[in-house]
Amino acid sequence: TTNTKSIASICLNSAVKMKSFFVVATLLSTGVGAFSPELSRREAMQAAIAGGASLATFGVPAISNAMPSEETPRTITRMGGLLEPFQDGPRGVRVMAPSGWNKFEGEVGAYDIKWQDLVDPSENIKVSSTPVKSTTVSIDALGDVQTVGESLAAKRDAKLVSATERLTDGVLFYKFDFAISDGTHQLLQLCVCKGKLWSIDASAKEKRWSKRSELYENVLGSFMPKLA
């Protein structure tokens, strides 16, 4: 039935998003040549940074990563009421969240916080985090943004539309725009802050992307994993 197909599609899309975490682990984990389905999301993300291997492990030349020379201000637009300020004191997170969307707290192995559209659950935004080694202080431990983006896209059967970086309040962010082969479009943003690897992703069906892209860009641009 149509409902069954819709539910199956949503489950598949969720699995694809979770695979991003495993691919990040693949990029940096020592002695891992492919993503391991036995690893939990948190274990995989932690292994990614804690492993300490570089992209050279996978045959990619070492690249000297330079931080952006100028800071980009955090986005705070409300988009005429479509977004509203959200702050999570215990987690130390700030973001402009979609107004009126359902909000869910912490599904183990999937996300810390999720916002989901009331009508179409495939349109959602997730925030996830996992601890990293104390010596890891920036997302550029993964390598340069373009190479990381291409690796993520290849592992996920997706087209890398863009890979960009920005420096905001002293935190370096990597942002990737993916067109996935199953008809999903996704923005994925990664950073390291306060001893954690943070991920925020925003997804929608490709046919709806033109209606959601601006909102999602502003959400990711507003994300800051610290309160001050």
Side-chain angles (χ1 to χ4, degrees):
T1 65
T2 301
N3 288 338
T4 301
K5 290 180 180 179
S6 178
I7 293 172
S9 177
I10 292 168
C11 291
L12 178 60
N13 290 340
S14 297
V16 169
K17 295 168 194 173
M18 289 181 67
K19 187 174 179 179
S20 296
F21 298 117
F22 294 115
V23 174
V24 170
T26 300
L27 289 173
L28 287 180
S29 297
T30 303
V32 177
F35 111 151
S36 171
E38 288 77 23
L39 290 176
S40 70
R41 176 189 67 86
R42 189 167 298 279
E43 289 169 336
M45 290 182 71
Q46 189 167 1
I49 297 299
S54 69
L55 286 172
T57 303
F58 303 92
V60 180
I63 298 173
S64 176
N65 301 312
M67 294 278 281
S69 59
E70 297 184 1
E71 287 237 348
T72 300
R74 175 174 170 261
T75 302
I76 56 173
T77 178
R78 292 175 180 257
M79 295 187 67
L82 295 178
L83 298 175
E84 59 187 11
F86 171 81
Q87 180 171 301
D88 186 316
R91 292 188 179 96
V93 168
R94 291 178 290 159
V95 68
M96 299 299 293
S99 302
W101 283 28
N102 287 324
K103 177 177 168 290
F104 301 91
E105 288 284 342
E107 180 179 318
V108 178
Y111 58 83
D112 295 345
I113 313 169
K114 179 174 78 170
W115 289 271
Q116 183 174 284
D117 181 64
L118 293 172
V119 178
D120 187 348
S122 70
E123 297 185 5
N124 58 73
I125 299 166
K126 294 187 183 74
V127 174
S128 304
S129 66
T130 194
V132 296
K133 290 176 62 176
S134 60
T135 53
T136 301
V137 296
S138 175
I139 194 62
D140 63 4
L142 289 172
D144 75 287
V145 65
Q146 184 66 31
T147 303
V148 172
E150 290 171 356
S151 298
L152 287 169
K155 297 291 185 180
R156 301 169 72 248
D157 194 19
K159 174 185 176 182
L160 178 64
V161 179
S162 66
T164 59
E165 61 183 0
R166 65 178 169 90
L167 184 66
T168 302
D169 291 345
V171 179
L172 180 64
F173 294 86
Y174 279 5
K175 184 179 69 177
F176 309 103
D177 186 339
F178 296 115
I180 304 172
S181 61
D182 68 354
T184 302
H185 204 119
Q186 181 191 65
L187 291 181
L188 171 67
Q189 183 172 271
L190 303 172
C191 73
V192 172
C193 184
K194 300 182 304 186
K196 290 185 177 182
L197 172 63
W198 295 88
S199 167
I200 178 169
D201 68 71
S203 302
K205 296 173 183 174
E206 188 66 55
K207 63 183 180 181
R208 288 272 300 166
W209 190 250
S210 62
K211 299 182 183 297
R212 285 299 186 205
S213 60
E214 183 182 2
L215 182 141
Y216 285 170
E217 289 281 0
N218 284 318
V219 171
L220 268 64
S222 73
F223 180 74
M224 179 57 63
K226 60 181 182 178
L227 299 181

